[in-house]
Amino acid sequence: QAKANGKDNAQFFTVGMTERAQARLQMLGQLRHAAEQGQLHLHWQPRVRARDGSLAGVEGLLRWVHPEMGQVSPAQFIPLAEDSGLIVPMGDWVVEQACAQIARWRDAGWPSLSVSINLSARQLQGDELIDVVRDSMARHGVLPGELELELTESMVMVDAEANLQRLHALRALGVTLAIDDFGTGYSSLAYLNRFPIDKLKIDRSFVHDMLDDPTDRAITMAIIGLGHTLGLKVVAEGVELASEATVLRDAGCDELQGFLYARPMAADELAAWREARQPALS
Ligand code: C2E
Ligand code: MG
Ligand code: MG
Ligand code: MG
């Protein structure tokens, strides 16, 4: 088909596409071995209770330290992993790492936390995930409520019946379920009734503009009200300002997460953060 556009054009496009495809392919090849070569890490970002600022849980966020490029953003490598299917074994690895970390924190005497990890649509497409979660939880003695999976709105819309059953199976294992980036996906809210969801995470775009933009503030308030009416916990992500935290707390938002409290950090940094915060709590 490209030939029909003329020889020169066809060559031009072929070269451009080849270069991009090769760069992607090369990155994918490196990403494929990143886990076994110790280049993948989970960083942990605190979620605090709005009421008293105490540590409610943490979100695990993947980090790839590339041998030459250094830190690669998840915005770059997660889509690559999703397109290639690599997200499935990579996501299994994340589940295992999260459960192992929960056990380490328990061994260190920390009170039980809710540790959330992000899930991609592909991971929910087979029954493998349920086995992986069950095995990892059992191996590390993870208790009900200690592992939370963050889903996106589109994941509960697509292929609804099969997904519904898988989410029920996960919940039966004691996993809690949160909708991430809430408010940015499909506008149908009907799924909130049908799916066994525990929590809504207000997308940080609303939180970010809330103080300046009455519409974003109204949306944020409406999500908190909707969540509570449905018996769900509501988390605000991307909280950067104390004034945002105040508004959210007054509105009854349950948990706050954002740079105001801490950036995502390695487990040892989190321990130091927690130590430094402890006196303020008691
Ligand atoms: P997300 O799950 O919505 O994670 C929150 C993102 O917001 C994180 O970006 C976090 O660093 C950032 N963030 C937190 N607080 C603030 C704040 O106060 N201000 C601003 N501007 N940003 C804040 P990160 O770590 O770059 O991750 C980006 C996305 O990559 C995540 O969005 C998630 O969708 C995806 N991701 C990360 N790790 C995983 C993973 O293990 N599996 C899957 N499937 N996706 C992942
Ligand atoms: Mg998330
Ligand atoms: Mg997300
Ligand atoms: Mg989010």
Side-chain angles (χ1 to χ4, degrees), residues 6 11 27 32 34 40 54 56 60 65 76 78 85 100 118 157 171 178 192 203 210 214 221 237 255 269 272 280:
Q11 269 177 343
M27 200 166 175
R32 225 175 262 290
L40 288 186
S54 62
V65 184
Q76 260 184 289
I78 293 288
N118 294 280
M157 303 285 299
R171 213 139 168 283
L192 287 175
D203 189 68
M210 185 180 64
M221 297 299 133
E237 48 178 24
E255 293 175 12
E269 294 174 282

Side-chain angles (χ1 to χ4, degrees), residues 15 19 42 51 55 75 93 98 111-112 132 144 147 192 200 218 223 228 234 238 260 267 270 281:
V15 169
E19 272 173 12
L42 282 176
R51 219 177 327 113
L55 183 62
W93 182 87
S112 192
V132 168
L147 184 67
L192 287 175
L200 302 179
I223 294 174
H228 287 168
V234 181
L260 175 64
L270 178 71
L281 297 181

Side-chain angles (χ1 to χ4, degrees), residues 118 152 180-181:
N118 294 280
T152 57
D180 202 359
D181 308 334

Side-chain angles (χ1 to χ4, degrees), residues 59-61 116-119 150-152 179-181 201 237 257:
E59 176 175 4
L61 293 155
S116 59
I117 51 176
N118 294 280
L119 221 59
E150 298 192 2
L151 320 165
T152 57
I179 303 290
D180 202 359
D181 308 334
K201 296 191 79 175
E237 48 178 24
Q257 176 180 353

Side-chain angles (χ1 to χ4, degrees), residues 206 208-219:
F206 301 120
H208 182 255
D209 296 331
M210 185 180 64
L211 296 182
D212 302 321
D213 185 338
T215 304
D216 283 318
R217 191 186 179 114
I219 291 171

